[in-house]
Amino acid sequence: MENAFETALGLYRAGRGAEAVAMLRALADHRPGEPAVLNLLGVCLHAAGQTDEAGTALRAALALAPDHAEALLNLAALRNGAGRRSAAAACLRRLLVLDPGLRDGLRLLGATLSEMGDLDGAEAVLRRVARLVPDGIEERFNLAATLCQTGAPDRAIRALRQAIALRPEGAFAYGLLGACCLRAGDLDAAEAAYARALRLDPAAADARHGRVRVARYRATARAARSGAGPDGLALRGAFATASGYSHMARRLIEALRRRRIPLEILGLLADERWPFEPLDRPVRARALLNVLIPMAVERVPGLPTVTFTMFEGHPIPPSWLVHSRSSDVVVVPTRASRRAWIARGFPEARLRLCPLGIDPESGDGAPLHLTLPDGRPVAEIPYRFLNVSDFIPRKNVDGLLRVWLRATDRRDPACLILKLAIGGRPHGRTELADLVRRGEAATGRRLAQAAPILLVDAVLDEARMNGLYRAATHYWSLSHGEGWDLPMATAGALGLGLIAPRHTAYLDYLHDGIAHLIPAGTAPATRPYEDEPWAPFHGLDWWQPDEEAAVAALQAVIRKGAALPSAADHLRRHFTWDQSAATLLTILGGLGLAPRPEGA
């Protein structure tokens, strides 16, 4: 036994930790009071893939020696890898009380806080590391990368230049510097940074796209100064992707073109092309309209920056406020978003309200033919509830499943059509299966006891999406917060019965006469079934729909035939994309930035 520990340590250092587990177990039984043995056992168990047992061994080591630095660091790394970042951060803070200058502990704490979404906390820790290691390349670069998210561009630019001075051959750092310079509106500095990145790595896609944007912005600025042609509008958005912002940008472009507004369309990368007519030629733009989140906004010298965006919680995160300040005006679609910006300290005078539109334009499109897992056609089920969501915690899919399990029985004439965007996630179905298991445990009901659920995770084009809406009788959401919820608005415009929480965007286009609104309180924004904060909403609250009321609402429809007047007429009359475009043009006109229609 005397040399067993050294032998086990040698195996671990040689990358053969799994082979040392049995030896260390025996040693721990023979000498149970030695934390170093338990610490090494925990590390080797982790290497062998036995994560739970590794945690037990590391906790046992700390029970014997609460100040054991290696065990604290190893337990923090283990918890971080398991997604328990709050617990990992607690370990690291305890470790840093013992050794305030521990470089590895500080670096891991900074990374952990960043992954938690505590960007301000991460910045403070990474600044501390950079002071301790003034010539540390990785430390400087980690700080710079965090500042790109949290700070005004000038702070990130300074930190990046310091990191580049220590390692001038890094192409990625130059690409990041170029992006920060674009946010600051410094085209010359951005061009120089991207050019340097491409000399170091000719295949650097971000730098290549960045240079395209620099060239487009130069042309846009020249055209705006030219004085020739009608006043128009430059619009930048992710119109070529499948996101909600992309859909919003496409609809606004279409509505503005119906009004013959001269547009120059700039994609997220800048080399995307509008598919229906050439809209990549510069116009004499009065402003640059960014249909994007504030962190993605870039500025064109000489043009006012208008940002059309939204947020689903209250208030906006601190980083959103910092990035919003680079915009002259922020346009939001709902009163809840407006309150979220004001509550964080954004000037009320620089906020404008412009509701979005709906998409009922498919007219008499046929319902999508769907079949339940047991082979029955969905169309034969009298009550067909639809939910269309990204598979993220904010959409409260876990709450939907809990309520469905509690509210329905397999003999009920109902089904749930769950359209989830999990196709791009390699473990999406596994994560959903885990959520179902947790829902079953929480409710004491098995999935087989409830009315059937049909998962639709294929990517559908707009025609098939409208067919999916038409295959349902009701649309139901238990979201924790919405900037708009286009699927809900579209479903209502197509005549589906609506069940929604009484919060955020829903209160701007629904009311009790046309929808069943479920009471909702506020609660910390955490991941399903965990106390861990959901990173995008770190430190914020969101809305928690009343699940008892949701159960009652579903049962009233399914078992009592409860009905509400249709929302279709209200939504079609008051929320169209043409009305949204008209409101946007009125806002621009009030700012002295109104474009003129062609031929006017």
Side-chain angles (χ1 to χ4, degrees):
M1 288 288 182
E2 292 301 321
N3 296 321
F5 183 80
E6 289 74 14
T7 302
L9 184 59
L11 287 169
Y12 169 69
R13 287 172 174 168
R16 298 163 58 192
E19 298 175 29
V21 169
M23 187 183 303
L24 287 164
R25 285 190 194 277
L27 187 59
D29 289 339
H30 183 67
R31 291 155 52 181
E34 295 196 17
V37 173
L38 292 166
N39 174 61
L40 184 57
L41 174 60
V43 172
C44 290
L45 283 167
H46 187 213
Q50 300 177 54
T51 305
D52 292 341
E53 295 88 340
T56 300
L58 291 168
R59 287 192 296 273
L62 289 167
L64 291 168
D67 295 345
H68 196 289
E70 287 187 9
L72 281 169
L73 190 59
N74 290 329
L75 184 58
L78 185 73
R79 287 173 168 173
N80 216 353
R84 298 179 58 206
R85 295 189 176 91
S86 295
C91 275
L92 292 165
R93 288 192 174 102
R94 182 171 153 196
L95 174 63
L96 291 167
V97 169
L98 303 171
D99 186 352
L102 184 63
R103 182 175 174 181
D104 287 344
L106 286 165
R107 285 169 58 184
L108 185 55
L109 179 58
T112 300
L113 293 173
S114 182
E115 290 164 355
M116 287 171 59
D118 184 0
L119 300 178
D120 290 339
E123 179 186 337
V125 169
L126 292 169
R127 284 192 182 280
R128 184 173 160 191
V129 183
R131 287 194 298 270
L132 286 170
V133 192
D135 59 345
I137 296 169
E138 186 174 350
E139 287 77 8
R140 288 284 174 186
F141 187 76
N142 288 342
L143 174 60
T146 299
L147 286 170
C148 288
Q149 301 178 68
T150 64
D154 57 333
R155 296 169 63 206
I157 288 167
R158 282 197 300 272
L160 280 165
R161 292 197 186 283
Q162 290 170 347
I164 287 169
L166 295 169
R167 182 181 288 168
E169 71 277 9
F172 182 74
Y174 281 104
L176 201 54
L177 176 60
C180 289
C181 292
L182 277 187
R183 289 178 192 165
D186 189 340
L187 301 187
D188 291 339
E191 170 68 26
Y194 287 134
R196 177 64 175 165
L198 288 167
R199 283 197 296 273
L200 292 167
D201 179 8
D206 287 346
R208 178 171 54 82
H209 291 308
R211 289 193 80 180
V212 173
R213 293 204 300 283
V214 169
R216 292 290 306 275
Y217 296 165
R218 288 192 194 283
T220 300
R222 283 196 301 270
R225 295 192 301 265
S226 70
D231 292 333
L233 189 64
L235 186 151
R236 181 169 179 254
F239 64 83
T241 72
S243 68
Y245 273 95
S246 176
H247 186 94
M248 174 181 167
R250 288 196 299 271
R251 289 294 184 256
L252 283 172
I253 291 167
E254 291 165 353
L256 289 167
R257 287 305 294 148
R258 283 194 291 273
R259 292 174 169 268
R260 303 188 61 78
I261 299 300
L263 293 179
E264 177 190 357
I265 305 303
L266 300 154
L268 193 62
L269 302 177
D271 58 357
E272 303 95 327
R273 295 289 182 267
W274 181 248
F276 306 111
E277 58 176 315
L279 294 178
D280 54 350
R281 293 189 295 268
V283 300
R284 195 173 75 174
R286 301 297 307 279
L288 174 63
L289 173 66
N290 288 272
V291 185
L292 294 165
I293 62 173
M295 286 71 74
V297 168
E298 294 176 346
R299 298 170 62 191
V300 172
L303 287 185
T305 302
V306 179
T307 299
F308 202 159
T309 188
M310 64 195 77
F311 190 67
E312 302 87 358
H314 187 85
I316 59 172
S319 59
W320 281 57
L321 174 64
V322 173
H323 289 283
S324 292
R325 284 175 175 152
S326 69
S327 297
D328 298 279
V329 175
V330 172
V331 181
V332 295
T334 67
R335 292 169 294 176
S337 279
R338 185 175 183 276
R339 288 192 295 269
W341 258 264
I342 293 170
R344 183 58 74 181
F346 190 79
E348 188 172 351
R350 290 166 58 191
L351 282 167
R352 300 293 186 275
L353 187 64
C354 179
L356 301 187
I358 53 171
D359 300 309
E361 63 268 22
S362 289
D364 299 324
L368 203 61
H369 177 72
L370 300 170
T371 304
L372 292 174
D374 63 7
R376 285 181 294 165
V378 165
E380 294 180 1
I381 308 299
Y383 299 105
R384 307 182 294 277
F385 295 84
L386 173 65
N387 177 270
V388 179
S389 291
D390 289 330
F391 191 31
I392 56 175
R394 180 175 58 80
K395 292 296 186 177
N396 197 18
V397 176
D398 54 306
L400 273 171
L401 293 170
R402 284 192 300 272
V403 169
W404 189 257
L405 288 169
R406 292 178 54 207
T408 69
D409 182 85
R410 61 186 178 85
R411 293 163 295 190
D412 284 333
C415 68
L416 172 60
I417 306 166
L418 196 53
K419 172 71 173 76
L420 291 182
I422 62 177
R425 298 174 63 163
H427 305 296
R429 280 183 171 254
T430 301
E431 293 171 18
L432 179 60
D434 181 63
L435 215 57
V436 170
R437 284 192 293 271
R438 291 186 173 203
E440 289 176 330
T443 61
R445 301 249 312 155
R446 304 288 294 173
L447 194 62
Q449 296 175 275
I453 299 175
L454 174 63
L455 173 66
V456 180
D457 60 356
V459 176
L460 304 179
D461 60 23
E462 289 190 12
R464 297 185 73 204
M465 276 301 302
N466 274 280
L468 182 65
Y469 290 118
R470 294 182 182 283
T473 58
H474 294 75
Y475 191 92
W476 173 39
S477 168
L478 277 187
S479 170
H480 291 302
E482 290 296 331
W484 186 255
D485 198 346
L486 284 166
M488 174 70 77
T490 298
L494 291 171
L496 276 67
L498 304 181
I499 301 175
R502 189 184 294 275
H503 64 56
T504 57
Y506 300 121
L507 297 180
D508 278 51
Y509 56 81
L510 298 178
H511 55 76
D512 289 306
I514 57 174
H516 191 114
L517 296 176
I518 298 167
T522 56
T526 59
R527 297 195 321 222
Y529 300 104
E530 298 178 18
D531 292 331
E532 288 289 322
W534 186 47
F537 278 55
H538 182 274
L540 306 181
D541 284 350
W542 58 20
W543 285 262
Q544 184 62 53
D546 184 330
E547 294 188 8
E548 294 290 339
V551 167
L554 286 184
Q555 291 181 339
V557 172
I558 297 169
R559 297 174 186 172
K560 300 178 183 178
L564 288 169
S566 171
D569 182 63
H570 168 74
L571 292 171
R572 286 173 178 265
R573 281 192 295 111
H574 297 292
F575 298 96
T576 69
W577 286 109
D578 283 331
Q579 288 170 320
S580 184
T583 301
L584 179 61
L585 291 172
T586 300
I587 289 170
L588 294 173
L591 298 168
L593 304 174
R596 287 186 295 152
E598 293 171 354

